[in-house]
Amino acid sequence: MATASSSSLFLTSSSISTPPRARAGPTQRCPSPCRPSLRLRRTSQVVAAAVQAEHQPAVAAAPKPPALPFRVGHGFDLHRLEPDLPLIIGGINIPHDRGCEAHSDGDVLLHCVVDAILGALGLPDIGQIFPDSDPRWKGADSSVFMREAVKLMHEAGYELGNLDATLILQKPKISPFKETIRSNLCELLGADPSVVNLKAKTHEKVDSLGENRSIAAHTVVLLMRK
């Protein structure tokens, strides 16, 4: 992973950090079926203020992409599930007895979408732009990463054509929360719901995904020249 320098996009003066995600006390297993008791995560103004107009060296050093009429990007992310952590998917806190172990909030869907957009633009991946060695991103809301990726997309002269995302997890069932997640994803992208698709699959009880020990996501985006 590349480490951000002091001339980073994200800070212009003093260090900014976000409070780490606290592990909860004894958890209550969500009854089946889970009621969609959802909490929409809001970006901290302090953290959002850390994302400034001056690009991080890792972004600035990347070759400028040619002005193609279309660009396609693919994103993939996987996180280990651990007890007593919140499960955040698409910016939504979903009731479950396990959550993602990660440096930030562990939002597997938003991380995946960010990587797809960055990939389409030919830029470094999310781990280089927001390295897990940087304490500023400890427990950070992943909407910060999303908004920066969308900003970079517009600065490069592109807009979202369409997005297709697939979540892979054994539990919990995503169908009660799917439209809420998709709605928040559309808001972060500034996109019409007709161009944002979200699917969810189990892993048929195979390997860590099927055994409810991890969660993964794939995303493909099409960017169109403005």
Side-chain angles (χ1 to χ4, degrees):
M1 295 287 188
T3 303
S5 71
S6 59
S7 60
S8 165
L9 154 69
F10 312 114
L11 285 182
T12 56
S13 55
S14 59
S15 173
I16 294 178
S17 63
T18 55
R21 296 179 297 151
R23 287 186 178 265
T27 56
Q28 298 291 328
R29 287 187 177 271
C30 184
S32 180
C34 288
R35 296 183 62 187
S37 170
L38 306 180
R39 179 173 65 86
L40 179 63
R41 291 167 58 80
R42 297 295 182 188
T43 306
S44 162
Q45 290 183 346
V46 175
V47 176
V51 184
Q52 301 293 330
E54 205 176 312
H55 287 161
Q56 184 178 4
V59 173
K64 187 175 180 180
L68 301 174
F70 304 101
R71 296 185 70 89
V72 176
H74 172 261
F76 170 75
D77 197 29
L78 180 145
H79 285 289
R80 188 174 70 253
L81 291 172
E82 296 289 353
D84 306 333
L85 287 173
L87 180 60
I88 312 298
I89 301 177
I92 306 299
N93 194 336
I94 294 180
H96 193 42
D97 63 327
R98 300 183 183 194
C100 291
E101 182 70 44
H103 184 67
S104 64
D105 64 1
D107 193 324
V108 68
L109 179 59
L110 294 193
H111 293 181
C112 183
V113 172
V114 168
D115 257 351
I117 294 173
L118 295 175
L121 296 173
L123 295 175
D125 64 30
I126 188 172
Q128 291 176 274
I129 298 177
F130 299 96
D132 59 11
S133 58
D134 193 328
R136 287 171 296 181
W137 313 125
K138 179 66 175 175
D141 190 323
S142 292
S143 64
V144 171
F145 313 149
M146 274 287 293
R147 295 187 192 283
E148 179 62 12
V150 171
K151 176 171 169 280
L152 291 169
M153 174 182 72
H154 289 307
E155 288 179 346
Y158 289 90
E159 60 187 359
L160 183 69
N162 73 294
L163 179 150
D164 188 29
T166 302
L167 286 166
I168 307 171
L169 71 167
Q170 199 67 30
K171 296 178 182 178
K173 296 296 183 184
I174 293 299
S175 53
F177 320 122
K178 186 175 173 183
E179 287 309 309
T180 306
I181 295 171
R182 190 165 76 103
S183 176
N184 192 49
L185 189 57
C186 290
E187 181 182 346
L188 290 170
L189 290 164
D192 188 89
S194 64
V195 301
V196 176
N197 189 42
L198 176 64
K199 307 182 296 297
K201 306 288 184 181
T202 68
H203 219 242
E204 300 296 337
K205 299 183 179 181
V206 176
D207 68 31
S208 66
L209 289 164
E211 293 169 0
N212 195 34
R213 293 187 288 112
S214 63
I215 176 175
H218 288 270
T219 299
V220 175
V221 298
L222 171 66
L223 305 187
M224 300 171 60
R225 192 79 184 168
K226 293 182 182 180

